[in-house]
Amino acid sequence: MSLSFNIPFLSLFLALLSAIASPLLRREGWALNLVRAVQLAVAALSALLLAKLWQMGESFTYRMGHFPAPWGNELKAGPLEALLALAFSLVMFLSLTGGAEDIRRDIRTDRQGSYCLLMQLLYAALLAMVYTNDLFTAYVFIEIAAITACVAVVAKESGKSVVAAIRYLVFSCLGSGLVLLGAAILYSITGHLLMESLGQAVSKLAEEGRYMVPLTASALLMTLGLSIKSAQFPFHAWLPDAHASATTSASAILSGLVLKGYIVLLVKLILRVFGGSLLASLYMNDLLFLLGLTGMLFASVAALRQEDVKRMVAYSSSAQISYIFLALGLGSRAGLAAACFQVLAHAFTKPMIFVGAGALIRAGNGGHYWSDLRGAARRDPLAGVAFTVGGLSLCGLPLLAGFSAKYSLAVAALTAGWETMPALFGLAASSVLNAMYYIPAILAIWSQRKEAGEGRRLGGTREHHLAIGCFLVCNVVLGVAVGPILNVIYRGLELM
Amino acid sequence: MLTTKIMYGNWLVMPILYPILGGLIASRVHTLRVRRLVVSTILILQMLIVLPVLFYDGTPYVFLELGGGIRLVLMADHLGRLFSVLICAIWFAVAFFAYEYMNHEGHRERFFGFYLMTLGALMGICFAGNLVTLYMFYELMTLCSVPLVLHIGTRKAFDAAWRYLAFSVAGAGLGLLGLFILQGYCTTDLFTAGGVLNLALAGEDRQFLLAVFLVMAVGFGCKAGMFPLHAWLPIAHPVAPAPASAVLSGLITKMGVLALIRVVYYLYGWEFLLGSWAQKTVLILSLITVLMGSTLALREDTLKKRLAYSTVSQVSYVIFGLMLLNPAALEGALFQAVFHAIAKNALFMATGAIIYKTHLTQVSQMRGVGRVYGITMWCFALASLSLVGIPPTGGFLSKWMLAQGALDADLGWLSYGGIAILMISALLTAGYLLPIVTNAFFPGKDFDSSNLVKQQDTWLMWITLIFLVAAVVLLGMFPNWLSPSIDAVVGDLF
Amino acid sequence: MLMLCAVFLPICAGAALPLWRPHDRRTRQDYVVGAACATAVLALLAVFTQAGSAPLVLLRLNDHLSVAFRVDGLSRVFGTMVSLLWPLACLYAMEYMSREGAEDRFFAFYLAAFGVTLGIAFSANILTMYFFYELLTLVTLPLVMHSMDGKARYAGRVYLVYSMSGAALGFIAMVFLLQYGGDIFQFGGSLVSGAVDKNILLTAYVLGFFGFGVKAAVFPGHKWLLRASVAPTPVTALLHAVAVVKSGVFAVIRITWYGFGPDLIRGTWAQDLMLAAVLFTIVLGSSKALQTQHLKRRLAWSTISNLSYVLLGVATLTTAGLVAGLTHMVFHAVLKITLFFGVGAVHFKMHRDFVPDIEGCGPLMPVVFSTFTTAALGLMGVPPLAGFSSKWMLATSSAALDTPLGYLGAAALIASAILTALYLMQIVLLAFFPRQNRAISVKIPKKARRDPSLRMTLPMTVLAVASVVLGLCANQVARTISALVLG
């Protein structure tokens, strides 16, 4: 067992440790620097792991504390998990960097350490969800993620944020509850919690045809629960409020990462626990597909009518999540791969948009509405560029991440059965809708402001520029290096 | 031999191009005298240029190849030469009339410019060797004559010109459509006496081709004022200045007829159309037009409009004749075309002279005019007689031959009906033209002639008038001056 | 390499312009026209020297996706046309935009659009073409919205929505081509046969036709072109009569002849649908043009109609039709740009935008109106000028289909020709023959009583002469195009 096999555990450990340490650091800015340093370190470690696993061509399981199954905990890592961990770490780092200015402004100084604690815990939870191999751990970290995310929303104190956080909490608990219920059912009929064993037990049950109703119920409950938590239509109502009232980095991470964590779990459930064919026979695939299709359209239509930029982007996130559900619903390996690619693409694009929007709100007169943002990009061009490139990526301009995601989704749809045409039409319609709300937004931020004080260029901080620059580079890399990345994903799915 | 051939071919372009250029030049000359000189010179030279063409033998000359297999071809066969001489001579005469008449109108350089350019376009139609070339000059003719119609610049003139343009373009478009479909069935695109249809192919789709023919006939007939596309004529012709009305009624309508002759005899071939429903339909349309024109002319009080309706009627005689598809009828039609051209020009010129001098436009106002403007009204009278068809004027001969041809055609009720309608129309023509003459000369006892003041007679006007009327009378009395040319045309075809 | 230079030089030159901010109009003019001419020279060199060489792959994304450039027959036709027209349009625009303002921004995007259009021309596969196609929309959007008032913004929004919708539909077709087709455009189609059910392929193709056809203003995607006539004339003239719309046509030709292949589509319901849409657009465009009294909108409807002429040629799926369509594409570009220039000059000098106000302006702006008349005669299809032979060839190829729709196509062309004559001659007649009772009341300030300066009249004259020459040599033009495209 090579040293690099320790990396998953190490990542988790570092994250948790730095989380606990950060409120202890009273010096201003040190907490933030600590957590970001850890994230970078974990990113580097994940990259190493990825390289190693790719070279070796296999995945491994890591038993926590050397307790054998079925009592102990397990982590499982393959190329895909390493890639996801790398991506999540990077995005976390860049979001916190890009939103640093807003953290300093929106959150009271004495609370900033606590905020970093929350963020780091959330980060740890995400890593856990990526690496975990058993349902119990998964559930624990789901709860941790939910709580930390809720509190992060409240961090920026305002009446609205409290209401939003409570709403989020309610939905979240509902979702977790459903997941717990599903897990409980599974445990009761199979007696296992580790995903591998669960998988074997479930397939045996399915062959024999026993306990079909509980199996179906379990699958349904867990899917629904995770859908609620990842803001899939029609359960997305909590997301816009949460976004609108949170600080920039919180919104970015919420949209970009938290929602994805649950999806990664769902992918694991599909691959390891239930198996594709069982789900297909239970019509779960069709459910996912339909949820995705309707979500794409309705969420986009809702986005059209928004006056507040952050709410609009929130609805847009919901629409993008629907792409993932659509891809999952195709039921093929290609569909899963497309879903994973979209996870990556969205994880890098949405935070970039939020970071850009945050800066633009500052460059405007602080209001969230379009009328306040008119001409803001002229004062902070880099933020404008970030927002523009993000928007264009979501509209499907080739060579950017969004296009490659759509493309892989379309290719996956080609080999599906009856789903091909609806999927393609849905993609087309949603691209149009995307364009209809992003491009007027882009035009608005670049248009001339007919007032005095125009042309006053705001100096953004260096870290802000760094964050945006890196986001842009990552976006283009995702757009251009589609081939290699998809290869990694496919291999990872095989080894999952 | 080759060089002379090329030279002959290129010379054919001259009578077309030269007046067009001349028109452009004339429109730049602002001094009255100089312009009159320029225009006269151009017209005289034009007649000289056309002279050698009269000795050509009808071989086609390709002078431009456009894409897609279309080419522009010129040729000077008997038909073309006949019309070209007629046109040049009348154009020359009317120009002199116009010098005097246009004294009361403005923008004269523009008028004469387009007047000459229209002449060039007409020459092009006469000498066209295939339907594409004919179409091209047909459109050019429309474009150059529209400014003549709207010359006086009132709102009515504009509406009339717009209507003229719309109808003409639509008609030409129908003709083009027909051509387009037809070209798939033709062995060659060149006009050849007897037709160029590939009979094997055409036989299979005979009904379809007959329908196409009908469409083309209606399209080209529009310019000749044939029902159903005649509505523009009674509005456009009167509103133009008198010289323009003269050539519009007299000659430009004949170009529609010429196009129709080309289609019937040189593209389809009369044998293909003989006895078909298409032939009968066009005959019926032309008869309707004849009757309708005459009837409407009777009720019309504005003199120029009455003459316009008369044109509608008379030109359809020609169409009737040429659609009967036998030698006698064709001969009659051609004679009718020539005589009508000359006579109608004369009538419009006489009317123009009276309008110029008295500013009277309504027939009811013409009482007693003859007392003061005797020569003018005498000419009017003689021209009217020709139109009615009273010997020894030219109109009689043509109508006689038309009747003969109708009988020869042996179409049963259509022949007899045709002759009957010709007779009725002749009576109606008398009814709408002769009273003008009689009222002019014999206004009745209670006429107060103090309203009419004798104005200075202008010799230019009545010299040309007399010239034309003399032509009508003399040619009517001595038709054998004209017969060789017409017989040559007919001989080509039958 | 030349291709890449030709594509990227104007984009960079344009991008540099707002950064450099030349003080003086003269410098800007020299820079812009110089850049345009340099690009044109590069493009023409590329067209003449690099025909038939192997594609230049700039980026390879994965097995199916790459960004590649190549010069083939169709690129040469389109590239030459665009390269010859852009410098002339820049010259015209210099004068025109001197009264509109914000010239740096305008010319930055104007030059960039040149590069992007060349990018479309030189694309070797559908991904590259799609990329530049989207870019074209984005780059021309600020040009449409230049004046930034309410109407311009609305026009921009409509343009955007339509273009993006079109691109989204085109995306679907593109996915099929990428997945089941070869890497590079091949004449006659690059699909690997047998992989997918034919009807699904046809559906994808039809989506692509209507999608890319939005830029080519096929019904129902034609509304944006009308709204876009609020843009300054150099934009409507060059972009919306030549570059953008012809790119749409170009894209449709690429997916039909070089992507899906005519053999797949010939004789199927897809072809019937295409023909029907195209026919309808031809007649719709011409009839509406006659009803509109706004000059630029009239010409916009005329463009809508004429683009469908070209698409009719393409929809016949025969080589004769394709050549006829391409010939008309070239002719129409030259003629329409002249007409728009004329109308723009009238707006520029006399601030008149409607047909009834044109009355009597002919003698006051003789150069403008004589070029307008020449181009109008050409567009109407008066032989021997340019429009006649191309329309004739189109009608011939349509009728050669020997189906009801084919004959209807020829009839629609002729009906449209009649309407064209009417709506163009109305302008010419009104300009040169003012009604007497109005001639006195039309007040034209003395200082505007002449043609615009050489910068505007020179391009107009050159183009009018070119249209006459092209018409007389129509046969040669058609043969050249045929040789280039069919090989």
Side-chain angles (χ1 to χ4, degrees):
Chain A
M1 207 167 96
S2 133
L3 265 175
S4 56
F5 281 20
N6 286 310
I7 290 180
F9 171 69
L10 200 57
S11 323
L12 265 173
F13 182 67
L14 276 175
L16 284 169
L17 199 59
S18 54
I20 299 169
S22 48
L24 300 172
L25 295 171
R26 297 272 172 207
R27 251 327 207 347
E28 189 184 338
W30 275 33
L32 194 57
N33 288 341
L34 175 64
V35 300
R36 288 191 296 182
V38 166
Q39 285 156 9
L40 266 185
V42 171
L45 288 173
S46 310
L48 222 88
L49 181 62
L50 175 62
K52 198 69 202 280
L53 286 174
W54 182 251
Q55 201 186 46
M56 276 170 36
E58 36 181 85
S59 61
F60 65 91
T61 38
Y62 180 95
R63 278 176 294 144
M64 299 279 277
H66 291 276
F67 286 107
W71 301 282
N73 250 330
E74 268 188 10
L75 295 178
K76 184 167 183 186
L80 182 57
E81 287 88 337
L83 180 64
L84 285 171
L86 169 62
F88 286 1
S89 311
L90 270 179
V91 173
M92 198 86 195
F93 170 74
L94 290 174
S95 305
L96 282 177
T97 314
E101 186 66 27
D102 281 326
I103 294 177
R104 284 190 271 272
R105 279 200 202 178
D106 294 336
I107 305 177
R108 278 168 31 191
T109 327
D110 56 337
R111 298 273 177 91
Q112 282 176 14
S114 312
Y115 182 77
C116 296
L117 161 71
L118 291 170
M119 283 286 123
Q120 201 67 340
L121 273 180
L122 184 55
Y123 176 56
L126 285 171
L127 284 177
M129 284 194 266
V130 166
Y131 284 125
T132 187
N133 202 20
D134 74 276
L135 279 185
F136 180 66
T137 321
Y139 180 70
V140 167
F141 280 100
I142 287 177
E143 287 294 291
I144 292 181
I147 296 172
T148 48
C150 275
V151 183
V153 169
V154 190
K156 174 178 177 185
E157 291 171 46
S158 67
K160 282 208 292 196
S161 64
V162 174
V163 173
I166 293 181
R167 193 186 230 173
Y168 180 21
L169 198 59
V170 168
F171 269 91
S172 216
C173 288
L174 182 63
S176 315
L178 289 176
V179 171
L180 184 60
L181 215 55
I185 295 177
L186 268 183
Y187 180 65
S188 69
I189 54 178
T190 58
H192 292 284
L193 282 175
L194 278 178
M195 288 192 191
E196 240 102 45
S197 335
L198 262 179
Q200 284 162 2
V202 166
S203 57
K204 207 156 73 103
L205 285 176
E207 269 170 35
E208 295 166 14
R210 293 163 51 200
Y211 291 120
M212 287 314 288
V213 173
L215 267 180
T216 317
S218 163
L220 194 62
L221 285 170
M222 294 184 87
T223 308
L224 279 179
L226 289 173
S227 307
I228 294 175
K229 293 184 80 74
S230 52
Q232 165 61 28
F233 179 90
F235 314 115
H236 60 289
W238 59 269
L239 193 62
D241 291 324
H243 272 323
S245 39
T247 177
T248 305
S249 48
S251 310
I253 292 168
L254 187 57
S255 247
L257 296 180
V258 173
L259 304 179
K260 306 303 183 309
Y262 303 122
I263 294 186
V264 172
L265 269 179
L266 188 57
V267 170
K268 286 196 201 185
L269 283 177
I270 292 176
L271 277 180
R272 293 184 199 163
V273 177
F274 291 102
S277 45
L278 174 63
L279 287 177
S281 63
L282 294 177
Y283 298 110
M284 289 305 301
N285 277 347
D286 298 338
L287 177 67
L288 286 172
F289 183 80
L290 284 172
L291 277 181
L293 194 60
T294 44
M296 263 166 33
L297 299 172
F298 280 92
S300 294
V301 169
L304 273 177
R305 292 179 288 159
Q306 295 305 313
E307 296 282 324
D308 179 337
V309 54
K310 280 191 162 184
R311 290 181 71 93
M312 183 193 92
V313 179
Y315 277 105
S316 166
S317 288
S318 177
Q320 297 290 315
I321 297 287
S322 306
Y323 281 28
I324 301 179
F325 273 74
L326 185 81
L328 288 176
L330 288 175
S332 57
R333 190 46 60 89
L336 279 174
C340 293
F341 192 87
Q342 169 71 342
V343 164
L344 288 174
H346 192 243
F348 278 97
T349 312
K350 215 22 101 44
M352 176 166 79
I353 293 181
F354 270 113
V355 167
L360 288 174
I361 290 174
R362 277 205 310 273
N365 53 20
H368 280 202
Y369 295 91
W370 287 121
S371 40
D372 303 311
L373 285 179
R374 181 159 249 116
R378 286 170 179 268
R379 294 209 219 127
D380 194 349
L382 201 56
V385 169
F387 191 88
T388 309
V389 172
L392 288 178
S393 163
L394 291 175
C395 294
L397 188 70
L399 299 186
L400 292 177
F403 173 80
S404 306
K406 280 200 181 110
Y407 172 72
S408 26
L409 185 50
V411 169
L414 280 184
T415 48
W418 61 271
E419 292 111 339
T420 310
M421 274 316 172
L424 288 177
F425 273 111
L427 261 182
S430 115
S431 304
V432 176
L433 289 169
N434 272 343
M436 277 169 74
Y437 55 78
Y438 270 114
I439 305 223
I442 296 176
L443 289 174
I445 62 176
W446 288 104
S447 56
Q448 300 256 347
R449 256 215 125 126
K450 294 180 170 64
E451 305 173 348
E454 183 200 343
R456 192 177 26 102
R457 289 271 173 99
L458 282 185
T461 55
R462 262 210 254 128
E463 44 186 6
H464 182 69
H465 291 167
L466 174 70
I468 292 183
C470 291
F471 267 129
L472 286 172
V473 167
C474 292
N475 201 302
V476 173
V477 164
L478 271 175
V480 171
V482 182
I485 295 180
L486 271 179
N487 281 345
V488 172
I489 295 179
Y490 269 110
R491 195 90 183 96
L493 285 173
E494 267 173 55
L495 294 172
M496 205 157 199
Chain B
M1 271 309 284
L2 193 65
T3 48
T4 42
K5 205 163 185 224
I6 295 173
M7 197 193 79
Y8 281 149
N10 288 344
W11 188 256
L12 263 181
V13 182
M14 285 299 290
I16 305 172
L17 209 50
Y18 169 69
I20 295 180
L21 289 174
L24 287 170
I25 296 174
S27 62
R28 290 262 150 271
V29 177
H30 295 282
T31 327
L32 186 67
R33 280 185 178 279
V34 177
R35 185 176 57 244
R36 286 191 186 174
L37 193 59
V38 167
V39 173
S40 315
T41 321
I42 290 175
L43 287 168
I44 294 176
L45 278 181
Q46 171 75 356
M47 295 203 284
L48 288 177
I49 290 175
V50 169
L51 207 53
V53 177
L54 297 177
F55 297 104
Y56 278 31
D57 58 359
T59 34
Y61 299 101
V62 180
F63 80 93
L64 194 60
E65 292 232 31
L66 305 173
I70 6 173
R71 48 190 188 164
L72 298 179
V73 181
L74 295 176
M75 81 176 169
D77 65 347
H78 290 122
L79 186 62
R81 284 179 269 167
L82 172 68
F83 274 98
S84 62
V85 171
L86 180 67
I87 293 172
C88 284
I90 296 184
W91 221 266
F92 179 68
V94 174
F96 278 90
F97 174 81
Y99 291 149
E100 191 60 48
Y101 184 87
M102 297 302 288
N103 277 335
H104 281 189
E105 307 278 347
H107 295 286
R108 281 170 281 184
E109 56 275 355
R110 193 174 77 189
F111 180 86
F112 282 104
F114 282 109
Y115 184 73
L116 287 175
M117 285 168 74
T118 314
L119 174 62
L122 262 72
M123 289 288 106
I125 298 179
C126 293
F127 292 139
N130 66 7
L131 200 54
V132 177
T133 319
L134 191 141
Y135 171 79
M136 171 171 126
F137 287 112
Y138 206 80
E139 294 273 61
L140 191 61
M141 172 180 74
T142 305
L143 290 177
C144 292
S145 48
V146 163
L148 295 177
V149 172
L150 57 79
H151 185 86
I152 60 177
T154 59
R155 192 184 183 102
K156 269 182 56 168
F158 260 83
D159 291 341
W162 184 244
R163 199 181 271 235
Y164 173 38
L165 182 66
F167 271 88
S168 291
V169 168
L174 288 177
L176 186 64
L177 179 64
L179 159 63
F180 179 76
I181 296 176
L182 201 59
Q183 57 160 3
Y185 294 91
C186 291
T187 52
T188 166
D189 59 325
L190 301 171
F191 289 140
T192 314
V196 295
L197 281 181
N198 179 336
L199 290 166
L201 275 177
E204 291 166 8
D205 291 321
R206 193 187 150 84
Q207 295 307 315
F208 176 61
L209 283 179
L210 289 176
V212 169
F213 169 73
L214 187 59
V215 167
M216 289 175 87
V218 167
F220 286 122
C222 166
K223 197 58 131 216
M226 187 176 83
F227 179 90
L229 290 180
H230 63 285
W232 64 277
L233 204 149
I235 301 180
H237 284 196
V239 89
S245 311
V247 295
L248 274 168
S249 263
L251 294 172
I252 291 182
T253 47
K254 303 304 180 304
M255 292 296 102
V257 169
L258 177 58
L260 194 53
I261 295 179
R262 290 291 194 199
V263 168
V264 169
Y265 289 99
Y266 292 81
L267 275 185
Y268 272 87
W270 60 271
E271 288 153 333
F272 187 83
L273 295 170
L274 190 62
S276 64
W277 59 271
Q279 177 195 19
K280 295 190 187 139
T281 316
V282 181
L283 283 171
I284 294 176
L285 286 177
S286 62
L287 287 175
I288 295 177
T289 318
V290 167
L291 205 51
M292 180 185 76
S294 303
T295 334
L296 288 173
L298 261 183
R299 302 166 10 160
E300 185 56 48
D301 197 32
T302 313
L303 185 51
K304 281 176 91 174
K305 202 159 181 182
R306 182 178 285 204
L307 291 178
Y309 278 119
S310 165
T311 304
V312 167
S313 175
Q314 296 280 320
V315 175
S316 283
Y317 278 49
V318 181
I319 298 181
F320 176 73
L322 75 93
M323 282 313 297
L324 285 169
L325 300 175
N326 63 52
L330 182 61
E331 196 164 342
L334 287 172
F335 270 111
Q336 166 72 356
V338 173
F339 289 135
H340 176 258
I342 306 176
K344 198 39 84 47
N345 271 292
L347 280 176
F348 266 108
M349 277 159 59
T351 313
I354 294 179
I355 294 179
Y356 180 73
K357 284 181 260 202
T358 64
H359 301 288
L360 298 173
T361 52
Q362 308 299 103
V363 170
S364 43
Q365 298 167 329
M366 296 283 166
R367 298 179 68 196
V369 161
R371 288 274 168 84
V372 184
Y373 301 107
I375 301 180
T376 316
M377 285 316 291
W378 261 106
C379 294
F380 191 98
L382 284 172
S384 309
L385 289 180
S386 168
L387 233 55
V388 175
I390 295 175
T393 56
F396 170 73
L397 181 62
S398 55
K399 291 179 181 58
W400 179 264
M401 284 197 268
L402 280 174
Q404 185 74 34
L407 287 174
D408 278 353
D410 212 11
L411 288 170
W413 61 271
L414 201 50
S415 297
Y416 298 119
I419 298 179
I421 290 187
L422 288 184
M423 300 271 109
I424 298 176
S425 176
L427 285 172
L428 290 174
T429 310
Y432 64 70
L433 283 179
L434 294 182
I436 304 178
V437 178
T438 44
N439 269 342
F441 284 116
F442 309 108
K445 292 193 285 282
D446 55 342
F447 181 64
D448 177 16
S449 63
S450 56
N451 288 339
L452 296 168
V453 177
K454 183 153 173 86
Q455 287 223 1
Q456 190 69 28
D457 244 359
T458 45
W459 62 273
L460 266 180
M461 279 200 195
W462 53 254
I463 274 223
T464 46
L465 195 51
I466 292 177
F467 170 65
L468 283 182
V469 171
V472 154
V473 174
L474 287 174
L475 285 175
M477 293 201 294
F478 304 107
N480 40 356
W481 292 352
L482 204 50
S483 310
S485 329
I486 293 187
D487 286 339
V489 176
V490 177
D492 273 347
L493 299 169
F494 287 96
Chain C
M1 263 323 280
L2 271 177
M3 299 183 278
L4 287 180
C5 293
V7 170
F8 288 108
L9 173 64
I11 298 180
C12 300
L17 194 57
L19 297 173
W20 174 32
R21 294 218 186 136
H23 287 296
D24 144 43
R25 196 155 279 149
R26 189 88 210 169
T27 335
R28 188 186 299 120
Q29 173 185 325
D30 294 338
Y31 176 75
V32 168
V33 177
C37 290
T39 314
V41 165
L42 281 174
L44 288 172
L45 272 177
V47 157
F48 284 116
T49 58
Q50 297 206 328
S53 51
L56 174 70
V57 178
L58 194 59
L59 270 179
R60 180 159 279 283
L61 291 111
N62 76 8
D63 290 339
H64 295 287
L65 305 176
S66 64
V67 174
F69 296 91
R70 191 172 71 146
V71 175
D72 70 349
L74 192 62
S75 314
R76 293 169 82 182
V77 174
F78 189 58
T80 316
M81 182 184 92
V82 164
S83 306
L84 290 175
L85 293 174
W86 221 282
L88 287 172
C90 280
L91 191 60
Y92 180 92
M94 293 303 322
E95 175 75 13
Y96 191 94
M97 298 307 292
S98 60
R99 286 203 198 160
E100 299 275 335
E103 284 140 285
D104 284 331
R105 186 181 79 200
F106 181 87
F107 282 105
F109 285 109
Y110 207 65
L111 280 178
F114 189 11
V116 174
T117 314
L118 283 176
I120 295 180
F122 293 143
S123 307
N125 61 22
I126 192 157
L127 180 67
T128 321
M129 189 181 83
Y130 184 80
F131 175 56
F132 280 103
Y133 202 80
E134 295 254 60
L135 268 187
L136 189 64
T137 307
L138 295 173
V139 137
T140 50
L141 188 63
L143 293 173
V144 170
M145 292 181 31
H146 184 84
S147 57
M148 285 299 179
D149 59 6
K151 282 212 308 194
R153 289 225 192 99
Y154 180 65
R157 198 164 299 174
V158 170
Y159 176 42
L160 189 67
V161 169
Y162 271 88
S163 292
M164 283 298 176
S165 311
L169 290 177
F171 174 78
I172 298 180
M174 180 178 77
V175 166
F176 275 90
L177 274 181
L178 283 171
Q179 211 34 33
Y180 299 116
D183 202 20
I184 303 286
F185 284 132
Q186 299 269 24
F187 185 74
S190 65
L191 275 184
V192 173
S193 61
V196 189
D197 174 32
K198 187 167 177 174
N199 271 320
I200 296 201
L201 276 180
L202 284 177
T203 314
Y205 170 73
V206 167
L207 289 176
F209 176 80
F210 283 104
F212 289 115
V214 163
K215 274 216 170 39
V218 178
F219 178 88
H222 60 289
K223 276 262 159 67
W224 66 271
L225 191 54
L226 290 159
R227 293 265 160 237
S229 48
V230 302
T233 302
V235 177
T236 33
L238 184 63
L239 293 173
H240 295 127
V242 175
V244 168
V245 297
K246 295 299 194 297
S247 301
V249 169
F250 183 84
V252 170
I253 296 179
R254 279 292 196 204
I255 63 168
T256 312
W257 278 87
Y258 292 79
F260 285 88
D263 298 323
L264 174 73
I265 313 162
R266 196 174 289 129
T268 62
W269 58 270
Q271 185 182 21
D272 292 336
L273 186 60
M274 277 190 343
L275 282 171
V278 158
L279 279 184
F280 184 72
T281 315
I282 291 178
V283 178
L284 178 73
S286 300
S287 356
K288 286 281 189 168
L290 193 54
Q291 296 168 18
T292 317
Q293 293 298 322
H294 188 262
L295 279 168
K296 277 172 85 173
R297 278 206 282 277
R298 180 174 282 201
L299 290 179
W301 277 113
S302 171
T303 304
I304 291 174
S305 183
N306 274 279
L307 288 171
S308 285
Y309 284 28
V310 180
L311 287 177
L312 178 65
V314 174
T316 57
L317 298 173
T318 57
T319 48
L322 180 64
V323 171
L326 284 173
T327 316
H328 191 74
M329 181 177 92
V330 172
F331 288 164
H332 174 253
V334 175
L335 292 168
K336 198 37 85 49
I337 219 183
T338 318
L339 290 174
F340 266 111
F341 278 178
V343 162
V346 172
H347 173 88
F348 181 72
K349 275 289 190 184
M350 308 228 264
H351 305 289
R352 285 158 201 254
D353 297 321
F354 286 88
V355 172
D357 301 330
I358 284 272
E359 222 173 337
C361 292
L364 291 171
M365 307 181 79
V367 175
V368 168
F369 277 96
S370 26
T371 52
F372 187 92
T373 312
T374 319
L377 288 175
L379 201 61
M380 280 183 342
V382 176
L385 295 178
F388 181 76
S389 18
S390 58
K391 281 190 210 189
W392 181 271
M393 289 195 282
L394 281 169
T396 314
S397 61
S398 176
L401 283 181
D402 222 8
T403 62
L405 274 176
Y407 289 124
L408 270 178
L413 275 179
I414 295 189
S416 171
I418 296 175
L419 292 169
T420 309
L422 292 179
Y423 66 69
L424 285 177
M425 279 320 284
Q426 185 186 26
I427 302 177
V428 172
L429 286 178
L430 266 178
F432 283 109
F433 300 100
R435 280 171 277 188
Q436 276 180 347
N437 50 358
R438 280 197 64 161
I440 311 153
S441 63
V442 160
K443 281 193 171 31
I444 301 168
K446 243 191 169 50
K447 75 172 169 71
R449 241 181 225 203
R450 50 178 180 272
D451 279 312
S453 75
L454 194 63
R455 280 186 293 186
M456 284 171 102
T457 53
L458 181 65
M460 286 194 276
T461 323
V462 166
L463 287 168
V465 169
S467 71
V468 173
V469 168
L470 278 176
L472 291 174
C473 307
N475 210 12
Q476 274 86 304
V477 172
R479 268 200 281 235
T480 317
I481 291 179
S482 178
L484 281 177
V485 172
L486 303 176

